[in-house]
Amino acid sequence: MAPEVYEGKTCLKSDVWSLGISVIEMAEGKNPFDGCTSAMVMNRVMNKEPPTLSSSKWSAEFVDFVSKCLVKNVNERWNVKELLGVWV
């Protein structure tokens, strides 16, 4: 879940956060929170840096796309329209 969802706020940009997590999972073959309990996931989402692609094999554009999805501050996170303009 996106940080704002843990705070009880709903926003369409929470789907963008989910997209970023899903892209990492598809690209690297595992969930970035693999092995974590739901409490651990919440703690990491709220208090740690967002997950990133861990391999250097990804293009800078792809890494940048994922990072734009996983901005913790919902007001700074890109929206779907902005992301659709990015070529990866």
Side-chain angles (χ1 to χ4, degrees):
M1 289 193 305
E4 64 273 13
V5 176
Y6 283 117
E7 294 173 343
K9 302 172 187 167
T10 56
C11 171
L12 288 177
K13 285 187 181 180
S14 63
D15 289 341
V16 171
W17 177 275
S18 297
L19 172 64
I21 297 295
S22 296
V23 168
I24 290 175
E25 186 170 358
M26 289 184 286
E28 300 197 339
K30 68 176 188 160
N31 186 301
F33 300 113
D34 189 39
C36 295
T37 66
S38 57
M40 290 169 68
V41 172
M42 182 178 80
N43 181 52
R44 289 184 182 184
V45 168
M46 297 304 293
N47 300 311
K48 307 281 185 189
E49 290 297 313
T52 59
L53 290 163
S54 62
S55 175
S56 61
K57 69 181 176 182
W58 307 116
S59 70
E61 294 84 6
F62 187 51
V63 172
D64 186 56
F65 178 88
V66 172
S67 71
K68 286 175 173 35
C69 293
L70 296 176
V71 174
K72 288 176 72 168
N73 183 332
V74 69
N75 296 320
E76 295 175 14
R77 188 179 314 142
W78 280 31
N79 62 40
V80 173
K81 186 174 182 178
E82 291 168 315
L83 290 171
L84 285 172
V86 174
W87 290 96
V88 180

